Amino acid sequence: MATYDLEEQEKIDGLKSWWEAYGTLVIIIVAILIAGMGGQQAWKYYKAQQTQQAAELYASLLQVEASGDPKKISDASHLLMEGFPASGYAARAALISARASLEGGDMQNAKSRFQWVLDNAKEEELKDLVRLRLAGISLDEKKYDDAVRLLDTKHGESFDGLYADLKGDVLTSAGKVPEARAAYQMALDKLGKKGTYHSIVQMKLDALAEGK
């Protein structure tokens, strides 16, 4: 049997006392840490599976899109929007469905899909694009106040010229010529000095000046 000197025995007795007091707590803490590490791995695996499934559904949607059938495209996009709303694939699926609905004359479904992107998408650029599309629809429906409200929403700087140009179109249609001129001028200031788009906006502004 091993023998210990007095100092060693005191250390052993101290450790025993400490373990009797805190041993159970240590076991619980270690168990929680192990469970946490396992939980993190499980969560990562779950997220990876979710991403893969969303990607597979999106690939299927692209195949359905080739059919040009708005109903089939809407059904396929709905699977992504309902099953994986937080994924980037879902927002893009909604845009594909909205475009197909517009081409098929289903304005209500198109607006519904666009609104879904505004409510759920995490990418601000997609939201900026959708506001433009919705504002264009409001313009076609002569809902000028709704269009202006959308275009006055805070957006990315890269969209400044596009927003101002469309706002000029809305204000022109609403008969608010001075405001329309200001919007077109802002669009020109934000757009590059060269290019077809800049020339088109300049023509719009010139036409308003001629119509004084």
Side-chain angles (χ1 to χ4, degrees), residues 60-132:
S60 298
L61 170 60
L62 294 180
Q63 293 178 345
V64 174
E65 183 186 15
S67 71
D69 187 327
K71 178 65 168 62
K72 291 181 180 179
I73 294 172
S74 179
D75 291 342
S77 67
H78 183 74
L79 292 175
L80 267 167
M81 293 160 62
E82 286 295 311
F84 307 92
S87 73
Y89 292 111
R92 286 162 176 77
L95 290 176
I96 289 173
S97 179
R99 183 171 63 245
S101 294
L102 283 175
E103 293 173 353
D106 188 350
M107 192 66 68
Q108 196 59 41
N109 191 64
K111 290 193 288 186
S112 174
R113 292 294 195 250
F114 282 138
Q115 187 61 49
W116 190 94
V117 176
L118 286 183
D119 295 338
N120 295 275
K122 292 181 173 57
E123 298 170 71
E124 292 300 323
E125 293 82 1
L126 290 182
K127 293 183 179 182
D128 291 342
L129 177 61
V130 163
R131 289 191 193 95
L132 273 176

Side-chain angles (χ1 to χ4, degrees), residues 2-105:
T3 58
Y4 305 97
D5 60 28
L6 182 59
E7 183 178 355
E8 288 176 334
Q9 189 61 48
E10 288 178 349
K11 289 180 180 179
I12 292 171
D13 291 341
L15 285 172
K16 286 181 179 178
S17 298
W18 184 89
W19 183 256
E20 287 174 359
Y22 301 105
T24 301
L25 178 61
V26 169
I27 292 173
I28 292 174
I29 292 174
V30 171
I32 290 174
L33 288 173
I34 293 174
M37 291 173 64
Q40 288 179 356
Q41 292 299 320
W43 177 248
K44 288 179 180 178
Y45 176 77
Y46 170 77
K47 294 295 289 182
Q49 288 295 104
Q50 289 276 295
T51 300
Q52 181 178 346
Q53 291 173 19
E56 290 172 354
L57 278 176
Y58 187 72
S60 298
L61 170 60
L62 294 180
Q63 293 178 345
V64 174
E65 183 186 15
S67 71
D69 187 327
K71 178 65 168 62
K72 291 181 180 179
I73 294 172
S74 179
D75 291 342
S77 67
H78 183 74
L79 292 175
L80 267 167
M81 293 160 62
E82 286 295 311
F84 307 92
S87 73
Y89 292 111
R92 286 162 176 77
L95 290 176
I96 289 173
S97 179
R99 183 171 63 245
S101 294
L102 283 175
E103 293 173 353

Side-chain angles (χ1 to χ4, degrees), residues 91-179:
R92 286 162 176 77
L95 290 176
I96 289 173
S97 179
R99 183 171 63 245
S101 294
L102 283 175
E103 293 173 353
D106 188 350
M107 192 66 68
Q108 196 59 41
N109 191 64
K111 290 193 288 186
S112 174
R113 292 294 195 250
F114 282 138
Q115 187 61 49
W116 190 94
V117 176
L118 286 183
D119 295 338
N120 295 275
K122 292 181 173 57
E123 298 170 71
E124 292 300 323
E125 293 82 1
L126 290 182
K127 293 183 179 182
D128 291 342
L129 177 61
V130 163
R131 289 191 193 95
L132 273 176
R133 301 302 299 274
L134 282 172
I137 291 173
S138 294
L139 171 58
D140 292 338
E141 295 177 340
K142 302 186 187 307
K143 297 178 180 178
Y144 305 129
D145 290 341
D146 290 344
V148 170
R149 176 180 54 78
L150 286 164
L151 296 170
D152 281 343
T153 303
K154 184 179 179 181
H155 53 269
E157 186 177 349
S158 62
F159 283 83
D160 284 348
L162 296 173
Y163 270 59
D165 175 40
L166 184 52
K167 186 175 181 180
D169 294 345
V170 173
L171 293 171
T172 297
S173 296
K176 300 179 179 181
V177 175
E179 294 93 332

